[in-house]
Amino acid sequence: KGEEMSEVQILADDTAVYGLEVMWCSGDSCRQSSAISSSPHGEPKAHALTIEKGEYITEVTGRCGSWIDYLSIRTSNGREISAGGSGGAEFSILKRDDGKRATGFRVGFGCHMHNIGVYTVTVNDKANGGQPQNAAKDVMKELFTQYVKEGMDQNAAAAKALLETKRRLTQKSGKTVVGDLKPGNVYHPNPDDHRADSGGLDDRLVDHVVKTAEGGSVKDCIFKAEGFSAKYGGGLTLGDEKGEILSFTVATTKIPTGRDQLQILELGSHSGDGTLRFLKGVGKRKVKIVSVEENPHWLQLGKQLVSYAIRDPSTGKTKHTIRYKAMLMPEDMADLVESLQGSGMDRADIVFMDHQPGRFKQDLMKMVELGFAGPGTAVIVDNAGTKAAMMKDYLDLVQAGGATSSPSGPIKFNTVIQKVSSPYPDALAISWIGNASSEEL
């Protein structure tokens, strides 16, 4: 009670934001409140901002995609801290023009900070140099005058003005970036509740699907997964817009002559919802899909989700048209390709990349070099909007319009950037590899 923020720290590296620390003080007594995730890139750096007496936070902005890439916090005195990477789409959850100040934060995270929201109260920027302590008096005086003019007696007007002022100045902002962690904009204080490796929301999503969806029905499993994601986060799955694009791309990709099955490689399968989208697009055709994931926990969740969706509940056997394999991502793409080719998957008809954006170009070119990808292959890349800067070399390659050398001869990329708005503004880059003439090199 009576505590004010005296210091805010953003914990980040040059890739993303991983946590927030706030020092709360009341008189000579102070305490620290932290919400910190472990960085997969080493120890994040703390960027601190001391908040002086009478100063308060008026702006919280940044960039985000699947997580918070960059965060900026500015005070009423114009001082600012900012940290993070260059990816993501811009967001704003508090601006000076809103006439409010931040009284607290709510955040959610897994291996990165996944969302951030603010609690706010109204301030009167014109009163006493913008000091918040005078805002209540000004609001109450204005309301009292209004109620008296409306014919209310002074005692009733004073009581109503007091109650209305309290309601206005303690009203909490419902704005949250990426998605709230719980229904009804209520933040759950236990960070372990939404960590991907410790019984978090990803686990609960899969558990929800297995308990409520029709076993053996890919479509119903997708429906239940999307419903859970929309209710608890909005970013736990790819979302319907991206999902339908994936399914459509698969549905319009033909099986090459001489083969009886479609072959799909998924790099970065998360907890399996993207795999279901590919399977939906396959329809009744035969398919071999290999899902590769770097996170062992997500890999197991994906296996559980996909297995439930493709097994006949009456027999417990996988549908005869589907060959599905999930495996951990090896360090070297050449090892993965050689392993797949050695097991009978000579080349991919579709490659989906949602692992490390900085590896997209080198991984694709290694696949081309080894003959695993080439003319006829469709390559789909996630986060081509929110993480465009991190995959700039890849996007430059597939949008250049010219020819690229390959062991089988010159190739070229026909690329479409498909924008989406849900569950957050982003884009998919879909490239079809075709033959090129030597003159185009």
Side-chain angles (χ1 to χ4, degrees), residues 50-106:
T50 300
I51 302 173
E52 305 294 341
K53 186 175 181 180
E55 185 179 25
Y56 46 92
I57 294 171
T58 56
E59 290 191 2
V60 180
T61 60
R63 292 190 298 273
C64 71
S66 298
W67 51 73
I68 306 300
D69 296 271
Y70 171 84
L71 186 63
S72 175
I73 297 174
R74 181 183 290 269
T75 73
S76 54
N77 291 346
R79 298 190 305 119
E80 178 184 11
I81 53 168
S82 59
S86 58
E90 292 185 358
F91 69 81
S92 170
I93 51 175
L94 179 63
K95 295 287 287 184
R96 184 180 180 86
D97 293 343
D98 294 342
K100 297 180 179 181
R101 66 183 179 97
T103 59
F105 296 90
R106 60 179 184 271

Side-chain angles (χ1 to χ4, degrees), residues 67-356:
W67 51 73
I68 306 300
D69 296 271
Y70 171 84
L71 186 63
S72 175
I73 297 174
R74 181 183 290 269
T75 73
S76 54
N77 291 346
R79 298 190 305 119
E80 178 184 11
I81 53 168
S82 59
S86 58
E90 292 185 358
F91 69 81
S92 170
I93 51 175
L94 179 63
K95 295 287 287 184
R96 184 180 180 86
D97 293 343
D98 294 342
K100 297 180 179 181
R101 66 183 179 97
T103 59
F105 296 90
R106 60 179 184 271
V107 301
F109 50 84
C111 293
H112 306 78
M113 182 187 288
H114 281 190
N115 45 54
I116 180 170
V118 293
Y119 295 112
T120 63
V121 295
T122 303
V123 296
N124 187 337
D125 288 332
K126 296 180 181 179
N128 196 28
Q131 299 302 315
Q133 55 264 38
N134 285 336
K137 291 182 180 179
D138 293 334
V139 172
M140 190 161 61
K141 182 179 179 180
E142 180 181 348
L143 290 172
F144 173 77
T145 302
Q146 174 189 330
Y147 295 151
V148 170
K149 286 183 178 179
E150 291 174 354
M152 193 175 292
D153 71 72
Q154 291 191 358
N155 289 335
K160 184 175 180 180
L162 178 62
L163 291 173
E164 178 62 11
T165 300
K166 183 178 180 181
R167 185 193 70 79
R168 290 188 184 186
L169 297 185
T170 57
Q171 187 176 32
K172 294 178 179 179
S173 167
K175 292 183 179 179
T176 302
V177 176
V178 179
D180 291 327
L181 295 173
K182 294 285 182 177
N185 293 339
V186 180
Y187 169 64
H188 195 287
N190 179 9
D192 285 341
D193 188 54
H194 45 271
R195 290 181 64 90
D197 57 353
S198 57
L201 285 177
D202 296 281
D203 297 71
R204 290 165 57 190
L205 181 149
V206 173
D207 184 63
H208 172 76
V209 173
V210 171
K211 288 181 177 178
T212 63
E214 178 186 348
S217 171
V218 170
K219 290 184 179 180
D220 195 44
C221 288
I222 290 173
F223 179 76
K224 293 299 194 299
E226 291 298 340
F228 184 94
S229 179
K231 187 176 181 181
Y232 284 86
L236 293 170
T237 60
L238 289 168
D240 281 329
E241 284 189 73
K242 287 183 179 179
E244 289 305 311
I245 294 170
L246 297 188
S247 296
F248 177 78
T249 304
V250 173
T252 54
T253 299
K254 295 181 179 180
I255 298 174
T257 303
R259 208 172 347 107
D260 67 347
Q261 65 179 13
L262 201 64
Q263 298 185 160
I264 302 172
L265 174 63
E266 181 184 19
L267 300 174
S269 57
H270 198 69
S271 53
D273 67 289
T275 314
L276 298 186
R277 294 291 185 170
F278 291 122
L279 292 172
K280 178 185 176 184
V282 169
K284 296 181 179 180
R285 295 179 295 171
K286 290 184 178 180
V287 64
K288 180 175 183 178
I289 181 166
V290 177
S291 298
V292 185
E293 173 54 51
E294 295 171 302
N295 185 309
H297 185 68
W298 284 342
L299 181 70
Q300 293 304 316
L301 289 178
K303 286 182 179 180
Q304 183 182 356
L305 179 65
V306 175
S307 296
Y308 181 77
I310 64 177
R311 283 180 181 166
D312 185 331
S314 62
T315 64
K317 295 182 179 180
T318 301
K319 295 177 181 178
H320 72 280
T321 57
I322 298 173
R323 296 174 63 193
Y324 164 70
K325 180 179 181 180
M327 58 187 292
L328 279 172
M329 175 82 77
E331 291 186 7
D332 188 70
M333 180 54 59
D335 292 339
L336 174 61
V337 170
E338 290 170 4
S339 172
L340 295 176
Q341 290 177 328
S343 63
M345 190 172 179
D346 57 337
R347 62 181 286 141
D349 302 309
I350 295 174
V351 174
F352 177 66
M353 296 196 288
D354 189 16
H355 53 308
Q356 297 180 31

Side-chain angles (χ1 to χ4, degrees), residues 364-365 368 379 394 397-404 411-415 431-434:
L364 176 60
M365 294 313 295
V368 170
V379 185
Y394 172 82
L397 169 70
V398 298
Q399 295 184 97
T404 301
I411 59 172
K412 59 184 178 182
F413 298 93
N414 182 9
T415 299
S431 304
W432 290 268
I433 304 177

